[in-house]
Structures are given as C-alpha cells and as structure tokens.
C-alpha cells in the first residue's frame, strides 16, 4: 500500500497539526481577501492588520479556530469582517491550509514565499539578494501566459536562468512580460516578451544561464529589461558585453504578467525567475503537492515564520 501524507485539514479547522508559538488577536482593517489560512501583515494602527502582500514581511497566518468565536467567519472560505478580531499565528512548528497563487505548481517539501492577497508562491529557492521562483514550461511557439503576475515594486533581478529537462537541438526560449494578444487578450503596455531572457538555448539538459558577453552582439541572450547597455571591447576580436541592470527591472504593475515563448520544439523544464524585494521571504514549506495552473489551490504549509 502506498504511503499516505498524514497532513489533512480537519473539517472546520484551518490548522492541520501542531500549535503556534504565538497567536494574538488583531483588528481587521479591511475585509478584502482576509480569509483564514492567508498571510497577514501589519496594518496602519498598532493593533491592526491587513491581508499580506509580496512587498511586506508577513506578521503571521490568519487563524480561524484560535480567533474569538464571535468574530469567526461563517466558513473557512468566508473573509473576516472589517473591524472583527482575528488571531494572527506564527512561531514554532505547525501546519496550516494555505492558498497557492495562480501559476504555481509545487511538490512536497518545496519552499514557499509570501505573495499578493495573502497567498503563497513556489517553489522558491535562495538567490542573490532575493529568491528564485520556479515556473514550469513546455513547448509554446506563441507567447503564453504563466499566470504569474508581478506586483508594482517587485524587482526582477539579472540572474534568472533555465533548467532544461527535455532538450531539442537548436531549441530556445524567451521569457518576459505580456506583449502579445495571444498571451492575454490585448497585451500589456510596456510588455516585452523577451525582456528577461531572449533566446536562451534549450539544446542541452541542465542549467542554462543567459549569454552576457559574446563576439557577436546579437548572441547576447540576457533580456533588454535587465541590462543598461552593451559595450564593445577594443580587442582584435571585439567582445560585446551587456552591463546587467542593478538591482534589476522594477515592475510597474501594468506590464505584470510573466510570459514565455519557445521555438516549435518539444522541450520542457523550469524557468527560475530572479525576484528581489526586502519584503519577499520564505514563509513555509509545502507538505502536500499542489497545482494552481488555472485557479488558486489549497496547499498544506509547515510554518517558517
């Protein structure tokens, strides 16, 4: 008999196992997206909280069963009312049923980070100054949306790369922001389909980073949104080198949907997108596999706040 993951949320409970080290009742400043199992962040008042974002360190998880009975919403999928008191829980070892953001697919034990609307994204791994977000890709010869939307203020750093698991000779991939109608109806103002990675090779399996220096300028595969310019050396055989933008591309919240485009080749793998912001942090570990390709999904998370 196959082994079963013992972590399951009981009916009427948002926590799956364990006990938070801290759980304090806080006043809900806005009911918008303030659901049990989401992340909360500090509000405008000393005892207030709002739903978490990707740009602020979370205060903890929005609890249900620890909250005052009079203020608990009717169900786990009902938001707390404005001015109600909700317990915010953090610290020590416990697991909670959280909401995985659209566009994410995670396996058991993947690390997760805070995101918009108090949701989590993943898988993530540590990166220079931030985190890498893993986004799966397959053959798509026309620009296609990943479902991941980057909030205004999020920074895409210059160290994104591709992990190729199914390769094809001469195959390449572009990664950027929604530019074409095929990726989102009308495209997004300022979108650039290869703004992050431009023709990165998928000819071989393994880790492939962008080319930042080459004897041919056209062979540079770091996207234009991630470098300030290209310089030319005075060598006999000139070398063209892109100067990576520091800290990277600052998202404006208009051109926000991450997209990719491949050559017409049966390739597969993961885009590891370099995300940077002081408020973005690891909040937990997935204790169940979950797929949110078209809609948010429940994922069991062991706390790391």
């Amino acid at each position: 008999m196959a082994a079963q993951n013992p972590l399951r949320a009981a009916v009427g409970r948002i926590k799956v196992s364990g006990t938070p080290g801290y759980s304090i009742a806080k006043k809900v400043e806005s009911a918008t997206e303030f659901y049990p199992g989401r992340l909360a962040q500090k509000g405008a008042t000393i005892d207030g909280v709002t739903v978490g974002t990707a740009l602020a360190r979370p205060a903890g998880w929005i609890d249900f069963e620890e909250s005052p009975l009079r203020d608990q919403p009717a169900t786990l999928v009902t938001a707390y009312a404005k001015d109600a008191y909700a317990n915010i829980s953090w610290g020590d070892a416990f697991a909670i049923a959280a909401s995985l953001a659209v566009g994410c697919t995670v396996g058991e034990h993947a690390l997760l980070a805070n995101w918009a609307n108090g949701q989590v994204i993943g898988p993530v791994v540590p990166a220079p100054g931030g985190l890498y977000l893993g986004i799966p890709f397959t053959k798509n010869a026309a620009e296609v949306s990943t479902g991941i939307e980057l909030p205004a203020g999020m920074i895409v750093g210059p160290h994104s790369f591709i992990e190729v698991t199914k390769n094809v000779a001469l195959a390449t991939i572009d990664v950027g922001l929604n530019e074409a109608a095929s990726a989102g109806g009308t495209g997004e103002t300022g979108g650039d389909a290869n703004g992050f990675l431009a023709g990165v090779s998928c000819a071989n399996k393994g880790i492939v980073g962008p080319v930042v220096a080459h004897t041919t300028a056209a062979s540079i595969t770091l996207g234009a949104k991630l470098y300030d310019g290209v310089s030319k050396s005075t060598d006999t055989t000139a070398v063209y080198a892109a100067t990576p933008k520091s800290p990277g591309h600052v998202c404006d919240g208009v051109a926000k949907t991450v997209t990719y485009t491949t050559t017409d080749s049966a390739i597969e793998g993961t885009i590891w997108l370099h995300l940077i912001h002081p408020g973005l942090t690891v909040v937990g570990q997935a204790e169940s596999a979950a797929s949110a390709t078209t809609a948010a999904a429940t994922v069991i998370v062991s706390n790391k706040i």
Side-chain angles (χ1 to χ4, degrees):
M1 181 176 179
Q4 299 294 314
N5 186 330
L7 295 180
R8 297 285 188 274
V11 175
R13 294 181 63 85
I14 200 68
K15 291 195 298 300
V16 178
S17 68
T19 302
Y22 305 92
S23 189
I24 299 176
K26 294 284 188 177
K27 190 174 184 179
V28 179
E29 293 184 354
S30 171
T32 303
E33 299 290 335
F34 206 89
Y35 295 100
R38 302 286 181 98
L39 290 160
Q41 66 185 47
K42 186 181 183 301
T45 60
I46 192 168
D47 68 338
V49 285
T50 61
V51 74
T53 69
L55 308 180
R57 294 274 173 156
W61 300 93
I62 302 171
D63 213 318
F64 179 75
E65 48 269 25
E66 304 294 338
S67 298
L69 187 60
R70 68 180 185 277
D71 290 325
Q72 290 177 359
T75 70
L76 294 176
V77 293
T78 303
Y80 278 86
K82 183 180 182 299
D83 296 329
Y85 277 82
N87 271 50
I88 307 303
S89 298
W90 74 98
D92 289 348
F94 67 95
I96 194 165
S99 179
L100 184 67
V102 172
C104 297
T105 299
V106 298
E108 195 173 353
H109 308 315
L111 293 178
L112 303 168
N114 54 307
W115 204 241
N117 297 323
Q119 296 179 300
V120 295
I121 58 164
V124 297
V125 294
L131 297 171
Y132 288 117
L133 171 64
I135 305 171
F137 73 87
T138 57
K139 181 182 81 169
N140 278 284
E143 185 186 11
V144 64
S145 171
T146 64
I148 301 292
E149 294 186 352
L150 303 176
M154 182 58 66
I155 300 166
V156 178
H159 298 297
S160 298
F161 63 91
I162 301 298
E163 183 179 6
V164 182
T165 55
K166 186 176 181 181
N167 62 307
V168 174
L170 304 180
T172 64
I173 185 171
D174 295 342
V175 181
L177 295 172
N178 187 0
E179 178 179 353
S182 62
T186 59
E188 296 167 348
T189 302
D192 184 348
N194 62 2
F196 299 149
L197 298 174
V200 171
S201 175
C202 296
N204 297 295
K205 290 182 179 180
I207 303 298
V208 186
V211 175
V212 296
H214 199 275
T215 54
T216 304
S219 296
I220 291 173
T221 58
L222 183 66
K225 285 187 177 293
L226 296 180
Y227 64 78
D228 287 319
V230 176
S231 60
K232 180 182 178 181
S233 76
T234 58
D235 300 305
T236 302
T237 301
V239 174
Y240 297 86
T243 303
K245 187 176 292 185
S246 180
H249 169 71
V250 181
C251 299
D252 61 8
V254 179
K256 60 185 179 181
T257 304
V258 179
T259 66
Y260 71 87
T261 314
T262 71
T263 47
D264 191 12
S265 310
I267 54 176
E268 295 178 4
T270 302
I271 301 159
W272 289 100
L273 191 66
H274 185 201
L275 299 179
I276 302 172
H277 194 278
L280 185 68
T281 188
V282 171
V283 297
Q285 174 178 294
E287 299 301 345
S288 64
S291 177
T293 52
T294 58
T298 298
V299 60
I300 306 302
V301 180
S302 57
N303 172 61
K304 289 187 178 295
I305 301 174

